[in-house]
Amino acid sequence: MKIAQRAQRIEPFYVMEVAKAASAMAQEIAHTSQPMIFLNIGEPDFTAPPLVQHAAARAIAQGNTQYTQATGLPALRERISDWYAARFGAQVAPSRIIITAGASGALHLACLALIEAGDEILMPDPSYPCNRHFVSAAEGTAVLIPTTAEERFQLTADKVKAAWTPKTRGVLLASPSNPTGTSIAPEELQRIHEFVHSQGGITLVDEIYLGLSYEEHFGHSALAMPGELGQSVISINSFSKYFNMTGWRLGWLVVPEALVPVIERIAQNLVICASTVAQHAALACFEADSLLEYERRRAEFKARRDYFIPELNRLGLRVPVMPDGAFYAYADCTEAAARLGMSGSWDFAFEVMKRAHLAVTPGRDFGQAAPEQFVRFSTASSMAQLREAVARLTSVLIN
């Protein structure tokens, strides 16, 4: 059977390969004193709060399970619009919001609508691997630009200008980012978008971790940029991370008004609509009690960060930039790997899995800029599990 070239361009998702190995080992050691701790997958340990669960059950009981409009429930688009205004001071018309099957669905629709074969999209290196594969699936080319800790592992306006060519269609950014948990300073993001906009290009910003921002300076949506800039940027968001609805597969896309009918037409043909039950459930995310619970959980994620990052630094797993959002630690494992006789993050990850029964993600997924130097830890697990992980790492690396 002949396989399409676009399928062959999609690289393996190595974090899942590591996860499979960790799961296999977890079964072998399940009844030992050290069962596997999974700090490799970026999934909150919290689930949807009670009001959201009850709303889903009510929708099913009342038969509210038929197709919605391709753009989503009008009431949900309105609540998201209100949330932007209350939380970020961004005026986003409900008509610009399109409900999608997760952030992945949002990015897929945006890429199909905007990227031609051969178009180049500039992205930071390191960055989330699936984002560049959405570009590739739309027949475009992701151009990874190496970034530094001094740049917070984010693109700068100067680097975007230097890399721009006649083939460049735009940029795809993430703020806060996976794997680094770092954000672009709002003033730098505005400089990037001003340049891209002046070139007739597109600025796509993955903001799925925006709700999990911990520092006032960085916790701003790209949609809050002034005037035409805020109207022309494209934002991808999700109910998975801040709203703790990973398996519900619900997200949204904010686009310029002129792009709405284009996205709607593609969505009508490819997906019809996002899950109706999940949409009805998500209405309850914006109830006062739910928002209070989400903020309590955000404080818990911050407490985990504040505990775990200093411990990694103590163990020789240096985190060069303190994450200002999300729930990741992108750690330089060079020193720690050398202590174990390893020379790179891939071997280090499997050695830690074997010795400490701890699953982490090597840097291979996230780009070509020194992937062998870094591993990603997820701090989405409980504080108890993080403390146990530190104890095991201490035993392996120090004692």
Side-chain angles (χ1 to χ4, degrees), residues 108-310:
H108 191 197
L109 290 171
C111 288
L112 289 177
L114 294 166
I115 296 174
E116 299 276 14
D119 283 349
E120 294 182 348
I121 301 294
L122 308 181
M123 298 175 60
D125 187 346
S127 60
Y128 183 58
C130 297
N131 286 3
R132 66 179 183 265
H133 296 323
F134 282 118
V135 173
S136 180
E139 309 283 332
T141 300
V143 177
L144 297 180
I145 301 174
T147 60
T148 65
E150 291 72 26
E151 297 164 331
R152 304 184 60 76
F153 296 115
Q154 294 282 0
L155 290 185
T156 64
D158 287 344
K159 281 194 169 179
V160 170
K161 292 174 183 177
W164 198 273
T165 74
K167 291 184 177 181
T168 306
R169 180 72 179 99
V171 297
L172 173 51
L173 314 169
S175 186
S177 167
N178 178 3
T180 64
T182 60
S183 299
I184 307 174
E187 57 273 15
E188 192 65 33
L189 178 58
Q190 182 166 328
R191 282 193 287 269
I192 292 172
H193 185 43
E194 285 174 341
F195 172 75
V196 173
H197 192 54
S198 73
Q199 301 299 305
I202 54 173
T203 300
L204 297 100
V205 187
D206 173 349
E207 297 188 321
I208 71 172
Y209 294 100
L210 183 62
L212 293 174
S213 291
Y214 310 124
E215 298 178 20
E216 176 60 28
H217 180 65
F218 295 106
H220 303 278
S221 173
L223 297 164
M225 285 188 285
E228 175 62 20
L229 294 174
Q231 298 293 315
S232 57
V233 74
I234 296 169
S235 172
I236 295 96
N237 217 314
S238 172
F239 285 94
S240 290
K241 309 302 183 179
Y242 176 70
F243 294 103
N244 308 149
M245 295 175 67
T246 51
W248 300 69
R249 307 314 304 133
L250 194 66
W252 72 87
L253 184 64
V254 181
V255 300
E257 291 280 4
L259 193 56
V260 172
V262 178
I263 298 288
E264 182 178 15
R265 185 172 70 248
I266 298 172
Q268 286 170 336
N269 283 277
L270 296 189
V271 294
I272 300 180
C273 67
S275 163
T276 301
V277 172
Q279 290 189 62
H280 281 286
L283 288 169
C285 290
F286 303 99
E287 297 293 335
D289 285 350
S290 295
L291 290 173
L292 284 173
E293 177 61 16
Y294 288 131
E295 285 301 286
R296 185 194 69 78
R297 294 176 180 185
R298 180 169 72 104
E300 174 62 22
F301 281 126
K302 181 179 183 296
R304 294 174 186 180
R305 178 202 70 166
D306 292 346
Y307 162 72
F308 195 66
I309 304 295

